[in-house]
Amino acid sequence: MVNTVVRRVYHGLFRRTSTFALTILLGAVLFERAFDSGGDMLWDHLNRGKQWKDIKHKYGLPAEEEED
């Protein structure tokens, strides 16, 4: 079963140079997006209550001046 999966991946993605390069490029972009989102979530979790988005309600900004 593993041999069949590996063979299908090889023939579908890695056999031709163009699809190999596209697979690497797409994988890098998706990894960057996931890593960036994960880092932002970790930062927000570790700094909860210390960021402007968490404390701006204390300073009474008018509704038209608030930015999200």
Side-chain angles (χ1 to χ4, degrees):
M1 176 163 166
V2 173
N3 191 20
T4 305
V5 172
V6 170
R7 181 170 286 150
R8 286 183 188 258
V9 169
Y10 172 74
H11 285 287
L13 300 176
F14 299 132
R15 189 170 185 194
R16 294 182 9 207
T17 304
S18 60
T19 57
F20 179 71
L22 185 61
T23 301
I24 297 300
L25 182 66
L26 185 61
V29 169
L30 293 176
F31 175 78
E32 184 269 335
R33 301 273 303 187
F35 191 82
D36 191 41
S37 296
D40 287 344
M41 287 181 0
L42 179 63
W43 180 264
D44 289 340
H45 176 72
L46 293 174
N47 292 297
R48 187 177 305 148
K50 302 175 190 172
Q51 298 179 38
W52 176 247
K53 66 181 181 180
D54 299 329
I55 64 169
K56 67 182 173 183
H57 66 278
K58 294 180 181 179
Y59 296 99
L61 291 177
E64 63 271 356
E65 290 185 23
E66 288 184 6
E67 295 181 38
D68 290 329

